[in-house]
Amino acid sequence: MAKMKQQTKQDAYTTNLLISLLVRFHEIMSINFDMPQDNAKFSFVLAGIVNKEDVKNFKLVLRDSLAAYEELTGEYLQVKHKLQRSGKLNLLELYCRTSALSLELIQLICGIVSGHFPTILVREGDVGESIHEEELLRQEEIIAYLLSHNTGTQKDNLIAFREAGKVFVY
């Protein structure tokens, strides 16, 4: 019989954070928190051909945006990227430290990806679906709260992904 681990308050905060991030940011397809290694991975799906020039320009925009963020906030951030190609379907993965996450950083990352790949970025949900501004603000408040209370060390990895309009966390 499988051994069940009792969920702590910290686990609940992290689980709710992952769910809220995927509910708020429809362009993120999955998030992996490797808590022991202090590593977060955000995955985006690009449905179309991504040439080397697009990747080069994306790297420049990401680097310049992070430099501007650092200048404005005083926080040094390092975001690494990896692009896995498979025909016309691409997986863009962005890595950063879990402890460095903030709502502003996540908004910046999603904004850069959305702005740089507007026509090929896969977003969950119907294009005609509209999310009310109040709901977006509410989700952002929840995310900011959970990020501010998501301190301490955890021994587990957590992954959240979306499938058919639902969010799963393991």
Side-chain angles (χ1 to χ4, degrees), residues 114-152:
S114 294
H116 200 76
F117 303 106
T119 58
I120 61 173
L121 179 62
V122 175
R123 290 177 174 84
E124 177 72 20
D126 189 17
V127 176
E129 264 183 52
S130 64
I131 300 173
H132 296 290
E133 189 67 29
E134 296 110 26
E135 178 61 23
L136 293 177
L137 291 173
R138 190 172 77 76
Q139 286 297 327
E140 289 176 358
E141 288 174 3
I142 292 169
I143 292 166
Y145 174 82
L146 292 170
L147 282 169
S148 69
H149 288 78
N150 198 26
T151 58

Side-chain angles (χ1 to χ4, degrees), residues 37-40 76-79 95-101 105:
Q37 299 298 316
D38 190 29
N39 195 19
Y76 171 74
L77 297 171
Q78 184 176 11
V79 177
Y95 300 86
C96 62
R97 289 186 353 263
T98 306
S99 59
L101 286 179
L105 173 62

Side-chain angles (χ1 to χ4, degrees), residues 4-16 19 154 156 158 169:
M4 294 294 290
K5 182 184 121 180
Q6 185 170 352
Q7 189 175 29
T8 65
K9 190 173 186 177
Q10 187 66 38
D11 292 334
Y13 279 145
T14 306
T15 300
N16 288 330
I19 293 168
Q154 287 185 310
D156 295 329
L158 288 174
V169 179

Side-chain angles (χ1 to χ4, degrees), residues 31 40 55 57 63 124 129 142 159:
I31 306 170
V55 175
N57 289 336
R63 185 194 69 207
E124 177 72 20
E129 264 183 52
I142 292 169
I159 186 166

Side-chain angles (χ1 to χ4, degrees), residues 15-33:
T15 300
N16 288 330
L17 173 61
L18 291 170
I19 293 168
S20 292
L21 285 170
L22 289 178
V23 167
R24 168 58 183 91
F25 298 102
H26 292 254
E27 57 269 28
I28 301 173
M29 285 298 142
S30 70
I31 306 170
N32 184 349
F33 278 5

Side-chain angles (χ1 to χ4, degrees), residues 38-152:
D38 190 29
N39 195 19
K41 176 175 72 172
F42 295 86
S43 300
F44 303 85
V45 175
L46 306 174
I49 297 171
V50 181
N51 61 42
K52 289 182 181 182
E53 191 66 27
D54 288 337
V55 175
K56 181 180 175 185
N57 289 336
F58 173 75
K59 286 169 53 174
L60 290 173
V61 169
L62 181 62
R63 185 194 69 207
D64 292 347
S65 299
L66 291 173
Y69 181 88
E70 180 182 353
E71 190 173 312
L72 290 171
T73 64
E75 297 175 38
Y76 171 74
L77 297 171
Q78 184 176 11
V79 177
K80 297 178 183 177
H81 80 284
K82 180 179 176 183
L83 182 68
Q84 297 181 31
R85 301 170 194 261
S86 179
K88 290 187 178 182
L89 200 59
N90 303 280
L91 183 64
L92 176 63
E93 297 174 333
L94 299 176
Y95 300 86
C96 62
R97 289 186 353 263
T98 306
S99 59
L101 286 179
S102 67
L103 177 59
E104 293 80 13
L105 173 62
I106 297 165
Q107 289 171 326
L108 178 64
I109 288 171
C110 290
I112 292 168
V113 173
S114 294
H116 200 76
F117 303 106
T119 58
I120 61 173
L121 179 62
V122 175
R123 290 177 174 84
E124 177 72 20
D126 189 17
V127 176
E129 264 183 52
S130 64
I131 300 173
H132 296 290
E133 189 67 29
E134 296 110 26
E135 178 61 23
L136 293 177
L137 291 173
R138 190 172 77 76
Q139 286 297 327
E140 289 176 358
E141 288 174 3
I142 292 169
I143 292 166
Y145 174 82
L146 292 170
L147 282 169
S148 69
H149 288 78
N150 198 26
T151 58

